[in-house]
Amino acid sequence: MQREHALVGAAVAVLVVAVLLALVAPGALVDAEDDPEPQPEGRLDLSEIRLTPAAVSEDSATLTVTNWLAHEGGTSENVSLLVRAIDTDTGFVETRAGSDVGDLEGDRDEPVELNVTVERSGGYRFETLVFVDGERRTTRSTEIDGVEALRPAAARTGLQFHEFGPLFPTVTYDIVSTDDDTVTINTTAFLTNHGDQPAEDLQLLVRARQSDSNVVADRATVGVEDVRPGRTGTPTARLSVPDNYSYQLDAILTRDDVIVDTAATGANLDPTETVEVNRTTRSIDLNVDDFVGDDADDRREREPETATPETGGGDGPGFGVAVALVAVLASALIFRQIHD
């Protein structure tokens, strides 16, 4: 009987101890099988990099770098990206940008976009580094060239000078009138809208540049009427230039003071010569007075040129008599040496 009482007392003691342990440390009696198993780490790869122009100015270009992360399996913790723009000519890192992605779980594709600003010239290699919990896991890169070809927003338009080929110029002219060695001409430019939107708020600057001297004889700016997609506009500008010279007609298409497109053609008003565009191969007699406005003519009438001892009366830069004496003496010496 005493033995049974002893067993009961022992059981009670064990039960009391168990209750006390449960109160003091509730997790001490939890079965190890109830503990959650650690999740396996996922597999992370950088499958693709895409570049998209975001903003373009005269000096710089901001590109959106889209990085496609391919994730499989468990969990990748504390994922982060670093994008570096490396100048392909120098090898220097032009700029860099980073992004914290966080945790990735399961099978999924995750696009991560970063904006990177570089100088609008040359080429760059965009290199993306992927980190998981501070440890680099993968690297991928892509290259672009000719960043200067990206146009600023103000210069983006589908309107361009129409290219007819070598037999028909983009800019034409016709003579309106002649008066006192001055010719008035109408210049017409052919502009075709190759875009999908109407071309609006553009201006056309036309200038007549004397072919041999590059002196601009006259210029005019006219507004360009809106041109619908697929249509051609023909703005006209009137110029007055001195007669008997050959000119290059420079046509410059602008919007918001930004050059959009340019074209040029020759205007041969001198019947004795033919001058190619942007090419000068000989010297001619150029009368600069033909290109001077009325204000300069009035100024010359008010200030007549007079001969002074310094100018030598127009015979040279002040050394006419001295040069003549030196020539006589030199001739005498040569004559004497010959007879000696």
Side-chain angles (χ1 to χ4, degrees):
M1 189 63 139
Q2 293 179 353
R3 184 179 179 181
E4 294 177 354
H5 287 292
L7 291 175
V8 172
V12 172
V14 172
L15 181 60
V16 172
V17 172
V19 172
L20 293 174
L21 288 174
L23 294 174
V24 175
L29 299 179
V30 178
D31 191 352
E33 295 180 357
D34 296 335
D35 291 340
E37 294 182 359
Q39 293 291 330
E41 184 177 335
R43 294 185 298 275
L44 184 62
D45 189 21
L46 180 57
S47 61
E48 188 179 15
I49 300 177
R50 291 295 180 184
L51 304 176
T52 307
V56 182
S57 66
E58 289 295 328
D59 298 325
S60 64
T62 299
L63 304 176
T64 298
V65 184
T66 303
N67 306 276
W68 285 92
L69 297 176
H71 189 269
E72 296 179 356
T75 302
S76 298
E77 298 180 348
N78 193 21
V79 178
S80 60
L81 271 68
L82 175 65
V83 176
R84 301 185 298 197
I86 302 172
D87 192 311
T88 55
D89 292 329
T90 64
F92 294 150
V93 176
E94 177 78 11
T95 185
R96 66 188 71 194
S99 175
D100 293 328
V101 181
D103 298 342
L104 295 178
E105 298 180 355
D107 298 342
R108 58 189 295 187
D109 288 330
E110 183 73 15
V112 181
E113 295 184 347
L114 293 93
N115 288 332
V116 180
T117 301
V118 296
E119 185 178 349
R120 194 170 71 93
S121 66
Y124 297 90
R125 183 174 74 255
F126 289 86
E127 186 177 74
T128 299
L129 291 73
V130 181
F131 299 86
V132 176
D133 202 16
E135 180 182 350
R136 187 170 73 175
R137 293 299 175 85
T138 184
T139 303
R140 195 180 185 94
S141 64
T142 184
E143 290 190 11
I144 61 172
D145 196 11
V147 179
E148 62 275 5
L150 296 175
R151 292 189 174 186
R156 288 187 218 148
T157 177
L159 196 65
Q160 298 176 354
F161 288 99
H162 194 95
E163 295 292 340
F164 293 99
L167 299 180
F168 193 80
T170 301
V171 180
T172 62
Y173 70 95
D174 58 272
I175 299 176
V176 177
S177 62
T178 60
D179 183 22
D180 295 333
D181 296 330
T182 299
V183 180
T184 300
I185 61 176
N186 277 343
T187 61
T188 302
F190 295 85
L191 303 168
T192 299
N193 187 354
H194 299 281
D196 299 326
Q197 301 294 328
E200 303 173 342
D201 301 326
L202 289 114
Q203 296 79 39
L204 178 65
L205 167 64
V206 181
R207 63 185 184 184
R209 184 159 48 93
Q210 205 277 327
S211 300
D212 298 281
S213 65
N214 286 326
V215 174
V216 176
D218 195 13
R219 70 184 72 198
T221 301
V222 295
V224 179
E225 295 185 358
D226 298 349
V227 181
R228 290 178 294 166
R231 301 303 178 93
T232 299
T234 55
T236 298
R238 177 166 295 190
L239 304 175
S240 294
V241 297
D243 197 2
N244 294 323
Y245 289 98
S246 293
Y247 299 90
Q248 177 169 299
L249 301 178
D250 301 324
I252 305 171
L253 184 65
T254 64
R255 183 169 69 179
D256 194 21
D257 296 330
V258 177
I259 295 177
V260 174
D261 200 7
T262 59
T265 190
N268 299 310
L269 303 182
D270 185 351
T272 63
E273 64 171 343
T274 299
V275 179
E276 297 181 14
V277 174
N278 284 328
R279 185 173 181 181
T280 301
T281 58
R282 63 180 182 76
S283 298
I284 66 169
D285 293 331
L286 178 68
N287 186 2
V288 180
D289 291 342
D290 291 341
F291 299 91
V292 180
D294 296 337
D295 293 340
D297 294 336
D298 295 340
R299 186 166 56 253
R300 283 197 301 269
E301 293 178 0
R302 292 193 301 267
E303 299 176 2
E305 183 177 353
T306 57
T308 63
E310 288 79 6
T311 61
D315 292 333
F319 298 99
V321 177
V323 171
L325 291 176
V326 171
V328 172
L329 292 176
S331 300
L333 290 175
I334 294 172
F335 181 82
R336 181 177 180 181
Q337 290 178 358
I338 292 175
H339 285 75
D340 290 344

